[in-house]
Amino acid sequence: GFGLTAARVAAVNSLVHIPWVIKSLYGIVSDTTPLCGLHRTPYVVIGGVVGACAFAFLVGMPTHMSMLACTMLALVQFSFALPDVMVDAVLAEKTRSHPQHATDLQVLTMGSFGVCSIVGSMLKGQIFAIAGARSIFAIGLVTSLVVLPPAVSGWLGEARASAPERRCALADVLSPSHPGSGVFKLALVLSALALALAVTSVELEATPWVPPLLSLPVSALVCLACWRYERRVSADLAKASMYAFLQNAMQPSLVVMYKWYKATEENCNPLIPIPGVHPLPCFSPQFVGALDVVARGTFLIALGVYNRYLSSWRYRSIFATTQL
């Protein structure tokens, strides 16, 4: 809806997804800084309120991309990432108290996400084609508000901390003797690297070779930081983090691919066709929605296979089998 080029989409996408990159900080802050005696519920409420405000702004803003619009999109992602971390934290707590149901709890959570994603993917293409981007933002506003009643009603089942436990202990995490100091420092390093690379991508969009060139040393720094700080906790954890990072870093983005090949006059009916390039696929919003439905459906099938057959396998065996 903003009329951005594919290069601009890639640059803006890296910036607005910063809240997901720094999500480890949310967990540390919520663990050490209770609000009103609660570690999870207030942060879910904050996420819902921030999301509602950001979506409301996007509904009424002019249809051009500005730094303010980019900030609002980043706040939208923050409103998704913050409750996501809180739900993950509650899930981890329930897994510790009910270890025999650990796999089922994970599958239930991810499966619910997958089902809702399929519904959204089936509808978003048609809604966008009929009513435009503002209608998508309006729906996002409603969903942000829907999060609030369950949170304030205590659906997370969270008990209030006692008076001595209500103090902010965030500063304690910075102490070298604290068991979580390494993870906190790693989160700060990764956040700084991600922010620097995202801002550079946006500012140097006219020089397209610079961001990919910078991403190589940044990727190396990320791996080195994971190994330095996480191996103190567990060398296996550090290796798993590096594997997950490299796997995601090397995968092409479907959003950017869509922007390259979307159905526009320039892509579908160019004045001067380029041999070997044109014709382009000319993806419609409905087709991209269908791609998402297939992807989410495959995700649900994989969850079922994992829960039924692979939950007792070693992770290394699962990764090797799925990659092959």
Side-chain angles (χ1 to χ4, degrees), residues 188-207:
L188 292 175
V189 170
L190 297 183
S191 301
L193 289 174
L195 183 60
L197 185 60
V199 172
T200 302
S201 299
V202 172
E203 295 298 326
L204 299 180
E205 179 198 351
T207 313

Side-chain angles (χ1 to χ4, degrees), residues 22-311:
I22 64 175
K23 61 183 291 188
S24 56
L25 291 177
Y26 312 151
I28 295 172
V29 171
S30 66
D31 285 342
T32 58
T33 310
L35 301 177
C36 301
L38 299 172
H39 287 275
R40 313 297 177 206
T41 301
Y43 292 95
V44 174
V45 173
I46 290 173
V49 171
V50 170
C53 294
F55 274 123
F57 178 85
L58 291 170
V59 168
M61 69 166 292
T63 55
H64 68 274
M65 177 57 66
S66 63
M67 185 53 68
L68 183 57
C70 191
T71 301
M72 292 299 109
L73 290 172
L75 289 177
V76 166
Q77 296 301 323
F78 172 79
S79 74
F80 297 153
L82 184 60
D84 179 77
V85 174
M86 300 304 112
V87 172
D88 285 346
V90 173
L91 181 63
E93 294 168 358
K94 299 301 181 183
T95 298
R96 285 196 297 268
S97 59
H98 302 84
Q100 70 276 17
H101 299 304
T103 302
D104 294 333
L105 288 171
Q106 289 282 353
V107 170
L108 175 62
T109 303
M110 300 303 294
S112 301
F113 169 76
V115 170
C116 293
S117 297
I118 288 178
V119 174
S121 298
M122 292 174 63
L123 298 176
K124 68 180 182 182
Q126 295 292 339
I127 294 174
F128 179 83
I130 295 172
R134 294 181 191 274
S135 60
I136 304 294
F137 295 145
I139 294 172
L141 169 60
V142 174
T143 57
S144 294
L145 295 175
V146 168
V147 171
L148 300 179
V152 298
S153 299
W155 282 22
L156 292 180
E158 186 179 9
R160 292 187 181 275
S162 59
E165 297 174 337
R166 294 190 181 188
R167 74 177 187 89
C168 177
L170 184 60
D172 298 343
V173 183
L174 293 172
S175 172
S177 60
H178 194 281
S181 63
V183 176
F184 186 43
K185 292 175 182 177
L186 174 62
L188 292 175
V189 170
L190 297 183
S191 301
L193 289 174
L195 183 60
L197 185 60
V199 172
T200 302
S201 299
V202 172
E203 295 298 326
L204 299 180
E205 179 198 351
T207 313
W209 56 269
V210 173
L213 188 63
L214 289 177
S215 66
L216 296 176
V218 168
S219 297
L221 288 174
V222 169
C223 292
L224 289 174
C226 289
W227 180 251
R228 176 179 178 182
Y229 292 112
E230 285 190 311
R231 67 173 178 173
R232 301 174 185 176
V233 180
S234 168
D236 291 336
L237 177 63
K239 294 176 183 177
S241 297
M242 289 188 287
Y243 171 82
F245 165 75
L246 292 173
Q247 183 189 43
N248 285 278
M250 292 186 291
Q251 287 179 340
S253 171
L254 178 61
V255 174
V256 177
M257 294 294 289
Y258 162 64
K259 291 299 293 187
W260 279 115
Y261 299 134
K262 71 175 184 176
T264 63
E265 191 66 22
E266 180 182 358
N267 285 346
C268 303
N269 300 296
L271 295 177
I272 305 176
I274 301 175
V277 174
H278 296 103
L280 295 177
C282 294
F283 295 152
S284 67
Q286 295 89 334
F287 178 74
V288 175
L291 286 179
D292 283 345
V293 171
V294 173
R296 300 302 182 184
T298 305
F299 174 73
L300 289 177
I301 293 173
L303 279 177
V305 171
Y306 170 76
N307 190 38
R308 182 66 178 86
Y309 301 106
L310 305 181
S311 57

Side-chain angles (χ1 to χ4, degrees), residues 243 247 313 316-324:
Y243 171 82
Q247 183 189 43
W313 286 29
R316 182 177 298 175
S317 300
I318 295 176
F319 288 146
T321 301
T322 54
Q323 293 302 316
L324 293 176

